[in-house]
Amino acid sequence: MTARRRVLELLDTPSCDTELTWTTGNVAEAFPGVFTTLGFGFTHEPMELAFRTMFARLGVFGPGEIHLPERIEDTFWTLFAGRAAANIDKFRQIANVTPGTSATAVEQQLFGYVRPTTVDDNSYRRYPIILAKAPAAVISLPRRHDAMFAELRTWRLDRLSRIEELDEQGCRRVLADARARFQRIMVLHLIVAFVSSGLAERLAAMVAKLDLPGLEARLLSGVGSDENEVAHDLWALAHGELRLPDFTARHGYHGTNEGQLSGVSWREDPAPVLARLDDYRSISADSPRAPRRRAVHQAETRRAAMAELTAATPRLRRSPVTMLTNLAARWLALREQGKAGYLLTFDVARAACRRMGEHLVAQGVIDDREDVFHLGYDAVLEGVHGDVRDLVARRRTEYEERLDLRLPQSWTGMPEVTKVGEPTSGSTVDGVIKGVAASSGQVEGRARVVRDPATTELDDGDILVCETTDPSWVSLFLVAGGVVTDFGGMLSHGPIVAREMGIPCVCGTEDGSWRIPDGAWIRVDGDAGTVEIVGAPA
């Protein structure tokens, strides 16, 4: 059995090169939590091929690189104890042959930190090919991205309307179709992530050169995103301007654990949405906290930052500086659209899986339709024959045990897996927790440490403290006074939404959600990137 096949079976990497460095940073935000066997089988191959196809379109890879490697060391990502981790060294190799970026920049933008040992080793050997191929791929991408996203929205509603009619073969066809569409949107999404990281790096360097601290975060606010529409429609639902079926038709692909195929979407269970409506009813249309007014305010914040940047820039440089800033904003909005795009494919796939689970229960192959998520993707497509309940029971037990485990933010070789709640080695200086300054402003408030957004209530002004966020957390952002996350960098989901909502955010604290006591009074400085505990829990 090859190394890749062993990971598919074990949902774990039993061994790898001791010199290789891994991170849970950005990939843990896309796919947080623990994978099931079916979830990883659905996701891993399309993601690996999407990475390689993306780099081939940009000219970084040749056509021969678009394949599934059998060695773990050659993959862009894998699993450790059921959780996703990205191969930092693989991304460093890419950055070292790509114009306009570096290994240092990739680590900072994608993962939220740079290792002290990081050394850039840029090479120009691929530059001619990249300069010939990349412009065509990049220039047309926003239009193609918009078109694919619109198509996925229509496709989702059409397929969901027919799920209950599907037989086993129909479920397999829909599942395979969803997987193919997932790979296609991920190719575009990964190009967006790569290009937007380069644009943000240039923007940060420009702001630093002009000595305008905090301006970068304001320039990257008010860009508009899919979450803006989710926030407004939540408010509209609470105020009777939108019906629940219309809301779930638009946004029902979000939900608890949405980055995992086994997650439950708002379409299936709208209870987490309905539980928040009282909070939103207290926000009047003319309140500064109303989503539409927040969006307007943040757009004004961005215009003011643009004016400040223009005034500080020599006249002959103003035109290219304005172009760079506008491009960074456009591509940042595309990042969030891409995340929504692949979640649309997940929602159809999970519906097909659960329908398949019902067929397998009727045949006596499994006991519960949820057990289908503990079967292999290939086995589901080829047909499950015979009683697999013992296999499912073993895999379910392993899955539940892994829910209590966590990985470090980065490591070399094999990770030290710890139990949930055990502190790690985050950066603290004089009692102040350090992170990345991700959204401007300062705020004090009660810390609410959140593990499950579906079961947590925030009071107005509470500070959301968590490991990471995904789009289903937007309902908490509406009432939060600030955000603190363990993972991520400037272009991670939590900081992007915090900037759109106009609330301070510090990300990349490594283990802040385990060191900040729930209910403690804390001070968040989104300009300095610090969190200070100023009062014990009441």
Side-chain angles (χ1 to χ4, degrees):
M1 183 182 292
T2 65
R4 181 173 62 84
R5 285 288 174 184
R6 281 176 61 83
V7 176
L8 283 169
E9 175 66 26
L10 301 174
L11 303 186
D12 193 12
T13 299
S15 64
C16 68
D17 187 333
T18 57
E19 299 299 316
L20 215 59
T21 306
W22 302 86
T23 180
T24 53
N26 201 259
V27 71
E29 180 184 302
F31 309 114
V34 177
F35 273 89
T36 61
T37 302
L38 181 53
F40 187 59
F42 176 89
T43 308
H44 183 260
E45 180 177 320
M47 274 294 295
E48 186 68 31
L49 292 175
F51 274 121
R52 292 169 176 275
T53 302
M54 178 263 287
F55 287 125
R57 289 188 185 179
L58 294 177
V60 180
F61 275 174
E65 294 285 346
I66 306 177
H67 67 277
L68 283 175
E70 296 300 338
R71 295 175 68 249
I72 296 303
E73 290 80 359
D74 297 327
T75 61
F76 279 95
W77 73 297
T78 187
L79 296 188
F80 292 90
R83 296 179 182 269
N87 185 340
I88 289 185
D89 292 280
K90 197 71 179 173
F91 285 98
R92 283 172 50 84
Q93 292 171 14
I94 297 298
N96 283 334
V97 298
T98 305
T101 189
S102 63
T104 297
V106 166
E107 288 192 12
Q108 180 62 53
Q109 294 291 352
L110 291 183
F111 308 124
Y113 65 94
V114 178
R115 293 170 294 161
T117 57
T118 295
V119 176
D120 294 333
D121 186 22
N122 287 57
S123 166
Y124 301 102
R125 62 184 177 83
R126 295 290 301 181
Y127 279 23
I129 301 172
I130 293 170
L131 294 175
K133 295 186 70 171
V138 170
I139 290 170
S140 64
L141 189 139
R143 176 181 51 79
R144 290 186 288 119
H145 202 287
D146 289 342
M148 186 177 292
F149 182 67
E151 180 188 358
L152 285 174
R153 280 191 174 278
T154 302
W155 167 80
R156 168 181 172 265
L157 294 177
D158 177 69
R159 293 298 182 273
L160 290 177
S161 69
R162 307 178 188 185
I163 287 292
E164 295 305 316
E165 307 168 2
L166 295 180
D167 59 11
E168 286 185 60
Q169 192 58 37
C171 291
R172 295 186 188 105
R173 283 195 298 268
V174 170
L175 185 59
D177 181 32
R179 193 183 194 224
R181 291 173 185 269
F182 168 66
Q183 182 173 328
R184 288 198 292 273
I185 186 64
M186 285 308 303
V187 172
L188 299 189
H189 178 55
L190 291 173
I191 293 176
V192 167
F194 200 69
V195 172
S196 61
S197 295
L199 292 171
E201 178 199 355
R202 293 185 61 189
L203 189 64
M206 180 176 63
V207 169
K209 188 175 181 179
L210 294 171
D211 194 21
L212 297 171
L215 193 67
E216 179 188 0
R218 286 185 283 139
L219 288 169
L220 294 177
S221 22
V223 302
S225 71
D226 184 66
E227 271 81 356
N228 290 72
E229 295 307 310
V230 177
H232 174 264
D233 285 353
L234 278 167
W235 182 91
L237 181 65
H239 287 262
E241 297 180 6
L242 189 68
R243 298 184 310 120
L244 183 60
D246 295 327
F247 178 84
T248 55
R250 295 181 191 177
H251 310 296
Y253 54 90
H254 292 307
T256 304
N257 205 23
E258 64 184 26
Q260 294 292 340
L261 203 61
S262 56
V264 178
S265 65
W266 291 339
R267 168 186 58 80
E268 298 167 296
D269 179 15
V273 171
L274 299 176
R276 305 261 180 243
L277 296 188
D278 283 345
D279 293 330
Y280 309 141
R281 289 190 186 102
S282 66
I283 303 174
S284 64
D286 58 356
S287 168
R289 295 169 54 230
R292 284 288 188 251
R293 292 182 66 87
R294 286 190 194 225
V296 170
H297 179 267
Q298 289 309 106
E300 292 172 350
T301 297
R302 182 170 176 274
R303 282 193 290 271
M306 283 284 293
E308 185 177 346
L309 176 65
T310 301
T313 303
R315 186 175 298 277
L316 294 179
R317 293 277 303 154
R318 289 177 182 176
S319 180
V321 162
T322 299
M323 182 181 296
L324 171 63
T325 309
N326 288 336
L327 279 174
R330 170 66 167 135
W331 284 73
L332 193 58
L334 284 175
R335 269 179 91 107
E336 295 307 293
Q337 187 188 76
K339 290 179 183 178
Y342 73 71
L343 290 173
L344 291 167
T345 68
F346 269 40
D347 198 32
V348 172
R350 68 168 54 97
C353 289
R354 290 194 164 106
R355 178 60 178 156
M356 174 66 81
E358 292 170 358
H359 287 302
L360 296 180
V361 169
Q363 297 169 19
V365 173
I366 57 178
D367 290 329
D368 186 280
R369 73 172 188 169
E370 295 300 304
D371 291 344
V372 72
F373 292 107
H374 297 292
L375 300 176
Y377 176 78
D378 290 342
V380 169
L381 281 197
E382 293 166 4
V384 181
H385 305 290
D387 191 329
V388 294
R389 284 177 285 195
D390 288 344
L391 174 65
V392 165
R394 175 175 62 80
R395 287 176 173 171
R396 189 194 309 113
T397 299
E398 290 176 348
Y399 172 81
E400 291 170 353
E401 289 173 350
R402 285 168 173 164
L403 292 174
D404 291 329
L405 303 178
R406 67 194 300 259
L407 301 174
Q409 189 169 0
S410 67
W411 67 91
T412 300
M414 295 297 289
E416 181 181 352
V417 181
T418 58
K419 286 278 190 179
V420 165
E422 293 179 6
T424 56
S425 56
S427 173
T428 305
V429 179
D430 297 330
V432 176
I433 298 168
K434 295 287 292 181
V436 177
S439 182
S440 298
Q442 297 81 36
V443 66
E444 289 190 14
R446 181 181 64 160
R448 293 307 314 274
V449 180
V450 179
R451 306 296 173 202
D452 182 355
T455 59
T456 302
E457 289 295 329
L458 261 66
D459 290 335
D460 185 24
D462 283 349
I463 296 173
L464 171 60
V465 181
C466 56
E467 286 190 339
T468 187
T469 69
D470 59 43
S472 70
W473 291 63
V474 71
S475 57
L476 297 180
F477 280 78
L478 276 176
V479 295
V483 179
V484 178
T485 68
D486 293 355
F487 300 131
M490 280 289 291
L491 302 188
S492 295
H493 174 266
I496 290 175
V497 179
R499 290 193 294 269
E500 291 302 294
M501 297 292 171
I503 56 178
C505 175
V506 174
C507 65
T509 62
E510 297 190 28
D511 64 353
S513 72
W514 300 101
R515 288 183 288 146
I516 298 172
D518 184 48
W521 196 261
I522 63 175
R523 180 181 299 120
V524 178
D525 189 331
D527 295 305
T530 59
V531 183
E532 183 179 0
I533 301 173
V534 296

